[in-house]
Amino acid sequence: MRVEATAASVSWIPSESVGGALRRGFDVGLAHYDPPPPDALDDEEHLHRLCRDDRFRFANLLRGWADVEGGRVVAGGFGPGSGLVMGSTTVRVAGVGATFRAMSLPAITAEPVVEADSVRLSQTVGGRTGVPLPRPVPHPPFVQWNAPIVWTTLTLTLRADGSSHVQLSGASAFPRHWVFGTDLRLQAKSGLTDQSTWVAHSFGERTPWSAQDSPALVTAAESELERQLSEQIMRGGRRPEVRRLAAGDVLTRQREIGDEVYLLLDGVLRVDVDGEELADVGPGAVLGERALLQGGRRTSTLTAVTAARVAVAAREAVDLDRLRELAPSHHREHPPPLP
């Protein structure tokens, strides 16, 4: 019996994720942010179509197979079509666009690890934009002309029972990386887009092509309802306020008065109730709805685990019916009744 599976990661630049000198190019329209990818990929052709439509920066497409005999895995390997799906960079000046083909690096594939009940496949892909980025850096030669390297490392496990699983085992600190599981539905995402670390360090010896990968901070994907609310908050009318938090900053305190809803754009927040750590949440999470729906008091404390960006939505900017639908799913925010 042959077990086959396909998974992917899609890397894109979210709104408001660029700062410093780089942001000026986005603000004046020289470069563009990317719309969020879809929640699911129809098939591999769908991924290539999104690339042709300039919907992301690059993708890691990983296909694998395992041969099973007598309930044991006897062989495994990479399927045809595995590898890098590289986008391009379009720069616009006075309404005229110029497209720069990105530089693709060769895929790095580890030797399949075959065990009795599984085979494990690992693939790293990436490259850099064709647009130069001159900048000082803290390592020799202390000046770089080329743009930093971007990459993802996916690890796909195929099991003798026919099941399979993928994980983001390494990635560049920028941009955002979304992971699509073996059902090609959104499964997880990188929790933090750290532009400053990426610009300063992602070149030369500090990339997988010199045998140095970086672990990825991975968070679970938000719910479909949260994605709908995210769209409403960010594009439904008045531009929301965006707050930046440093690691350790407190966004809300349990039992304080509050009537705002928060959309976590980037980073990781910890949810505490009565001093007990209940969960860590990542980008896409909608938070704070219980205070708005249930008397105005915060039911949990939210603290930044990493640097974070949060969009702040007023009561009139969100659909209360959708918030009521969302609230029961947030079991992490079920505290004891307020006195």
Side-chain angles (χ1 to χ4, degrees):
M1 179 182 72
R2 173 158 287 196
V3 177
E4 296 180 307
T6 300
S9 66
V10 172
S11 301
W12 58 291
I13 301 180
S15 175
E16 304 291 336
S17 64
V18 176
L22 281 179
R23 176 162 183 150
R24 289 194 287 272
F26 284 78
D27 288 344
V28 300
L30 292 176
H32 68 89
Y33 297 107
D34 301 316
D39 304 334
L41 302 173
D42 297 335
D43 50 29
E44 295 170 36
E45 174 53 32
H46 188 191
L47 182 68
H48 288 282
R49 188 165 63 250
L50 291 172
C51 181
R52 292 193 294 270
D53 292 342
D54 197 19
R55 289 284 303 274
F56 59 75
R57 303 302 156 137
F58 74 100
N60 188 341
L61 178 61
L62 178 52
R63 300 187 66 203
W65 57 269
D67 283 341
V68 181
E69 296 180 2
R72 295 172 61 87
V73 174
V74 296
F78 295 88
S82 278
L84 172 67
V85 181
M86 179 58 88
S88 56
T89 300
T90 300
V91 176
R92 297 188 179 277
V93 179
V96 178
T99 299
F100 294 82
R101 176 58 57 186
M103 187 199 80
S104 301
L105 292 171
I108 301 172
T109 54
E111 190 70 21
V113 179
V114 179
E115 299 177 340
D117 61 347
S118 67
V119 60
R120 188 168 67 253
L121 308 171
S122 180
Q123 175 176 275
T124 301
V125 304
R128 63 169 175 252
T129 176
V131 180
L133 183 61
R135 65 198 185 281
V137 294
H139 312 289
F142 302 110
V143 174
Q144 282 287 299
W145 173 260
N146 291 322
I149 301 295
V150 294
W151 72 88
T152 58
T153 300
L154 291 180
T155 300
L156 175 64
T157 302
L158 300 99
R159 301 184 181 89
D161 63 5
S163 63
S164 55
H165 174 73
V166 69
Q167 66 182 82
L168 183 67
S169 47
S172 54
F174 186 88
R176 169 81 74 238
H177 311 292
W178 277 16
V179 180
F180 292 80
T182 53
D183 59 355
L184 293 183
R185 299 191 64 82
L186 179 61
Q187 170 184 297
K189 54 180 64 176
S190 58
L192 182 65
T193 54
D194 188 346
Q195 176 199 317
S196 59
T197 294
W198 173 68
V199 167
H201 303 295
S202 294
F203 65 92
E205 296 179 355
R206 296 163 183 82
T207 75
W209 288 268
S210 292
Q212 184 174 324
D213 205 341
S214 298
L217 175 62
V218 180
T219 61
E222 73 279 14
S223 66
E224 171 63 25
L225 184 56
E226 284 175 306
R227 280 190 284 278
Q228 294 172 10
L229 285 164
S230 299
E231 181 73 18
Q232 182 185 31
I233 290 170
M234 296 304 295
R235 296 175 178 83
R238 186 177 63 184
R239 186 183 181 92
E241 174 195 354
V242 176
R243 295 181 190 171
R244 293 183 179 269
L245 306 175
D249 285 353
V250 175
L251 178 63
T252 67
R253 294 187 186 277
Q254 187 179 355
R255 302 180 189 277
E256 286 185 347
I257 299 296
D259 61 357
E260 298 168 326
V261 174
Y262 303 103
L263 167 63
L264 181 53
L265 300 174
D266 195 44
V268 177
L269 298 180
R270 178 155 297 151
V271 182
D272 298 305
V273 173
D274 291 337
E276 179 184 356
E277 296 178 3
L278 297 187
D280 286 349
V281 295
V286 175
L287 302 156
E289 79 287 346
R290 287 184 172 277
L292 191 151
L293 295 173
Q294 299 177 4
R297 287 188 182 271
R298 298 295 180 194
T299 60
S300 64
T301 298
L302 301 176
T303 306
V305 177
T306 69
R309 292 181 297 111
V310 180
V312 182
R315 180 187 185 94
E316 59 271 16
V318 292
D319 185 328
L320 294 184
D321 288 335
R322 284 183 173 175
L323 284 184
R324 292 187 184 96
E325 186 180 348
L326 175 68
S329 69
H330 281 185
H331 298 297
R332 60 176 182 264
E333 294 187 21
H334 285 184
L338 294 170

